Amino acid sequence: ASFTISLHKADNTTVMIKPRPGLSPTCRIRVKNVFWFELKIKPGENVTFTFTCSTPEKYFITEIQKNIDCVSGPCPFGDVHLYPRGLPRLNRTFIWDVKASTKAGLELKFATSWLRQIKPGETCPDSISYNINSSIDKAMVNIGTFCRNGSVSRVKLLGGVVMSLHLPWHSPLTTSGFNIANRTSIKRLCIIESILKGESSVTLMSPNYPLGFPEDELMTWQFVIPPNMRASVFFHNYSLSNCERKEERVEYYIPGSPSNPEVFKLSDSQPANIAGSFNMSLQGCDQDAQNPGILRLLFQVVVQHPQVDENVTHLVDLSKEKNMTVTIHLERWPSHKPLMSEPICLICKDSRTCDRVLTLTSGAVYRISFLCKDLSQLRITAEKGIGCMDIHWCPKKIYSLSVPKAITRLPIRLHKFIWKLLATDLINIEITSPSLKLQQRVPEQWCNTSYRYSIVSATPETELNVGEFCPGGSIEKIQMRNNITISLITSGKGFINESILQDLKMSFVPHIKDECIFTVSPNPKAKVYLQTPNGPYGLPPYVSISWFIVVPSRQTARLGFSKDRMGIACETGRAYINIKEEIVGAEEIVRREDELLPQPRNMHHNFWVNISNCKPVDKTQLTLEFWVTFADKQIDLGIILAVVAGAGVLTAIGLTVFCVKKKKKTQNPMVGVYNTNVNTQMPGKKGLFGKGRQNNESHVYAVIDEAVVYGHLLKESNGSVTPEVDVYRPFDGPIGSLPPSPPPFSFRKDIKRSSNTEEEPLPLTDTDQDTYTFAHQKSGPSEDNGDANKKDKGDTSVPLLENKEQDGLVE
């Protein structure tokens, strides 16, 4: 097919057909019998041509440039048409180069579709784009690249303008979509007008973005907002130049504001919750000639309906807190930056200071509000620092590691609360959970609470992940060296209800030998799993960890390991496991890394488990897990039988004494005690007593009960009388076949022997087994000695012969 292009000289339009960049010229343009790789048609020319290929759109593009001179003559204001007609279906670029005086302004007004600014390198969905450049004294400033279907309705420029419209070869567009109007001088680089309807947003950039904004220039954005809506400004990316004079700033003109213009730095939080339309201006400065730097800005304006609770404020009192920050942010912050198209959710310190992220610092009281339809999108992350540089002062205080009520009272879910505990090398940190205790999070025992603690011990060189713990376990105390970071991490919406149960406390303690010491006091009915820190990555080289396990007095602990070997080989040093009960003379169990771990064993007392690492030969480090269970102590059967037998003997003695006591109630008071069932023969020579038991009175011995014999005198002397000791009364008790037996040697009284007595002591005989018992009544109260004495409190007799006589007897 042939094409004919006819250009009027007065139109001052030039058409260029050029090869597409980057393609080999396999297709050419034929004019009459001449073949060309490109074709230029000047004003006043009429050219007919054809292509040597059937798909010229793959190889050629068309540029149509129209020059408009508004300096030497009148400007053709009004709608801008796409001229000339009859162009081949190639990718087309229409360029309107308008020259105008800097004392006047030009306005590009767009049709109802309006425009949307895009970043350099981005493309429009329909491949139709506009590019606007300002021309001042032969200097070109790129105002921006725009797509259709946006909110930019007008662009006012100072001086000349170069406007480009890019159309793809298949586009049916026949109109430019804008017109040019004359305006008075705007006294700034440009003014961009954006009309926002309903809940919407617009993203705009400074001229030349991402390159620098012109030096000492001024430009303005005008935002038309429905009066019943609210607008907020957010700076997403900016940089500052090096100023010699003046200061780069942003100015806002807000109708009804008492302080127009309101001036902000680019680093400030920009105004939010603006009611109605407003203007925003960017002012540059005089830059350093040697190092000018770059001033650039990318920002967003979000329009939304007033929130139902925008006037509801929440008190956050941090006046008594120290070294603490509270950040309210969107979920997954800061790794996830919300898309500009996502629904906006703002946090406000006051009616106009709002942002997607708000940080509050300790020592002040805040009244915050939320511009957000769904508060479940928001989270709180807080951080508090506690330090100790002097051991003489720090141990005197116990710190409570609980979330302040100022945070838990907010209608926002807590994501994380971080305590950073800092101390010198000679000061260590002790964490306790007196009532709830802690449970280590391991595969065998997961946390089912709405929050957990992550504990990390760190030095400038190394970091040891102590583990994750939740309340409701067996660990009462953890002592650690180095600086510690404790993070309370929530995992459900129930944290606010459980927050009152927090009891984690911290104090600074003197230096400890191990890297970490756990004190474990398990529930007797639970099975406790404990794991070395830094799992599953393994214990770092040369680190020593200890556990102190408390065993209840009536319980027996059973200790076992989850595998039979440590699973490492040492390059330097040795890895050890030490187990020892905390009693004098207890056996210490020691295993090296090349030995089998101990089999499950019973522990009857509190005990220690220590694991010390070496430097392994490969990257795999030491990871061990062990468990502890409890059971009631089992009493030996022999002990049970002995106790039962002993109880039976004591019961029999008690019954005997009871019967004797019962029988004696009707007789005269006793002056002695006689036992008929015990062999009581006194040691002596053979045949000393020639008579039989019934034919002599050798058994008639008694000790006088002074208080009874002289009882009639006690009434007169109130018990202070000293009765005589030589009064004799005959024994009236029953007489058995054997005499009473003497007390053992340890109870015999020392009897003084005469100095001139040389008679040998009487030897013991096997034939004469009669022995004798002597007793007297104690004047004071007696001690209970077994069940018999408890039942018969009248029997208060004690032996007269005690162990002091033992040296005069023959063993």
Side-chain angles (χ1 to χ4, degrees), residues 209-476:
Y209 188 89
L211 302 178
F213 185 69
E215 182 178 6
D216 196 24
E217 275 291 356
L218 173 67
M219 75 158 293
T220 299
W221 290 271
Q222 294 178 337
F223 298 99
V224 180
I225 311 293
N228 62 334
M229 305 295 284
R230 300 291 185 267
S232 302
V233 181
F234 303 98
F235 287 3
H236 293 294
N237 188 20
Y238 69 88
S239 63
L240 303 176
S241 58
N242 299 314
C243 299
E244 283 189 343
R245 292 188 303 112
K246 301 181 183 179
E247 185 178 8
E248 296 167 336
R249 63 189 184 274
V250 180
E251 298 179 354
Y252 292 89
Y253 181 85
I254 302 173
S257 173
S259 57
N260 279 324
E262 297 184 20
V263 180
F264 291 79
K265 296 180 180 179
L266 276 73
S267 57
D268 293 337
S269 291
Q270 304 303 307
N273 202 28
I274 303 171
S277 303
F278 67 97
N279 293 350
M280 169 185 154
S281 299
L282 176 64
Q283 174 67 62
C285 66
D286 290 335
Q287 299 173 350
D288 184 350
Q290 301 298 324
N291 184 21
I294 292 177
L295 171 62
R296 60 185 171 192
L297 173 63
L298 184 148
F299 68 99
Q300 183 185 25
V301 175
V302 177
V303 177
Q304 57 190 150
H305 288 289
Q307 302 302 311
V308 175
D309 57 350
E310 68 173 310
N311 294 324
V312 177
T313 58
H314 301 271
L315 181 68
V316 183
D317 187 357
L318 303 181
S319 58
K320 296 181 181 179
E321 300 291 343
K322 295 181 180 179
N323 302 322
M324 188 170 81
T325 60
V326 178
T327 302
I328 305 175
H329 54 85
L330 290 172
E331 190 176 8
R332 294 178 292 164
W333 173 88
S335 59
H336 171 72
K337 293 184 178 180
L339 300 175
M340 296 178 186
S341 59
E342 290 183 16
I344 195 70
C345 203
L346 302 179
I347 310 103
C348 304
K349 278 197 297 187
D350 52 56
S351 61
R352 292 272 301 283
T353 306
C354 305
D355 208 337
R356 286 181 170 175
V357 178
L358 177 64
T359 299
L360 310 176
T361 57
S362 55
V365 178
Y366 302 90
R367 293 185 180 275
I368 65 173
S369 60
F370 302 98
L371 297 178
C372 187
K373 289 184 176 180
D374 184 9
L375 293 180
S376 64
Q377 302 179 54
L378 297 177
R379 297 289 184 270
I380 297 175
T381 298
E383 182 175 308
K384 183 178 179 65
I386 302 175
C388 176
M389 299 296 115
D390 187 350
I391 191 63
H392 297 92
W393 292 96
C394 302
K396 298 180 180 179
K397 185 172 182 180
I398 297 177
Y399 299 86
S400 175
L401 303 185
S402 59
V403 180
K405 292 183 178 179
I407 294 177
T408 58
R409 287 172 178 169
L410 289 173
I412 307 300
R413 176 178 159 184
L414 176 68
H415 169 61
K416 185 184 294 185
F417 197 107
I418 303 170
W419 291 273
K420 291 193 173 181
L421 314 178
L422 308 176
T424 61
D425 293 341
L426 299 179
I427 302 175
N428 295 145
I429 293 166
E430 179 178 285
I431 300 169
T432 60
S433 181
S435 58
L436 295 179
K437 302 182 186 178
L438 297 177
Q439 170 185 304
Q440 188 173 12
R441 191 184 186 196
V442 296
E444 289 80 4
Q445 54 186 20
W446 285 95
C447 297
N448 56 6
T449 57
S450 64
Y451 68 95
R452 66 186 186 276
Y453 298 100
S454 172
I455 303 177
V456 177
S457 171
T459 64
E461 296 81 16
T462 60
E463 182 176 283
L464 177 66
N465 183 5
V466 179
E468 289 192 349
F469 305 85
C470 54
S474 304
I475 301 173
E476 285 186 344

Side-chain angles (χ1 to χ4, degrees), residues 518 520 530-533 545-549 607-609 611 626:
F518 297 85
V520 185
L530 298 168
Q531 189 181 67
T532 52
I545 308 293
S546 293
W547 292 264
F548 178 65
I549 316 295
F607 63 96
W608 287 90
V609 176
I611 299 177
F626 61 93

Side-chain angles (χ1 to χ4, degrees), residues 467-521:
E468 289 192 349
F469 305 85
C470 54
S474 304
I475 301 173
E476 285 186 344
K477 180 170 59 177
I478 307 176
Q479 293 177 306
M480 292 168 286
R481 295 163 57 182
N482 310 320
N483 296 327
I484 306 298
T485 299
I486 302 176
S487 300
L488 184 151
I489 305 170
T490 63
S491 56
K493 296 181 180 180
F495 171 75
I496 295 178
N497 298 328
E498 294 185 12
S499 60
I500 57 174
L501 302 176
Q502 300 173 72
D503 76 333
L504 199 66
K505 302 184 185 303
M506 186 278 300
S507 59
F508 295 98
V509 296
H511 186 72
I512 61 174
K513 177 181 68 174
D514 293 328
E515 194 75 26
C516 187
I517 299 176
F518 297 85
T519 299
V520 185
S521 180

